[in-house]
Amino acid sequence: KLQLEEAIALEPHRVEAKFHLAALLEEEKQPDAALQVLMQALKIAPEEVNCLALACRCLEGLGRHQEALATATQLCAVDPASTFLALREVFRCQPEDVFVVTFPRCGTTWMVQIV
């Protein structure tokens, strides 16, 4: 952690170093601190996919669901291939959730209406 902070002090515009510091902070259960570092990185590179994904995780961990969803939407707009990654960070199954699953073209709409 100290080495990353030193690297950032030497080169404050290094997005990669900021991302790795934020990831380390998030692993240490410090999502607030990680989010602050990520916001600095996203000011430099607003379309950095890894920073956006980690920001989703931090926001969700802090219970800031609407902001996490907005960040996930931004991530999907930047890189459509990251849709699964964004959903994984934001969506959490609840015990009362119901999944309606049918074969394609076999009455899915009708089944949703029945449920």
Side-chain angles (χ1 to χ4, degrees):
K1 181 177 167 182
L2 182 61
Q3 291 173 334
L4 286 170
E5 290 171 344
E6 289 174 0
I8 292 170
L10 290 173
E11 295 184 57
H13 295 291
R14 291 291 305 253
V15 174
E16 299 86 5
K18 290 181 186 288
F19 168 75
H20 289 295
L21 177 59
L24 182 63
L25 290 168
E26 195 268 336
E27 282 181 22
E28 293 177 347
K29 308 292 186 224
Q30 298 178 40
D32 278 326
L35 195 54
Q36 288 178 354
V37 174
L38 287 167
M39 291 303 129
Q40 293 171 5
L42 288 169
K43 283 181 183 176
I44 299 166
E47 296 187 349
E48 173 55 44
V49 174
N50 292 323
C51 290
L52 287 168
L54 187 55
C56 285
R57 184 180 314 154
C58 291
L59 288 164
E60 187 65 29
L62 292 168
R64 294 162 58 179
H65 307 294
Q66 292 301 321
E67 291 174 78
L69 187 57
T71 304
T73 302
Q74 183 182 358
L75 174 60
C76 294
V78 169
D79 181 22
S82 296
T83 301
F84 174 74
L85 177 64
L87 286 174
R88 187 183 72 191
E89 298 301 338
V90 175
F91 180 76
R92 300 284 183 250
C93 290
Q94 302 297 318
E96 63 273 3
D97 287 348
V98 175
F99 291 89
V100 177
V101 181
T102 65
F103 289 102
R105 313 256 337 128
C106 291
T108 305
T109 303
W110 183 46
M111 184 57 68
V112 169
Q113 290 174 351
I114 291 171
V115 173

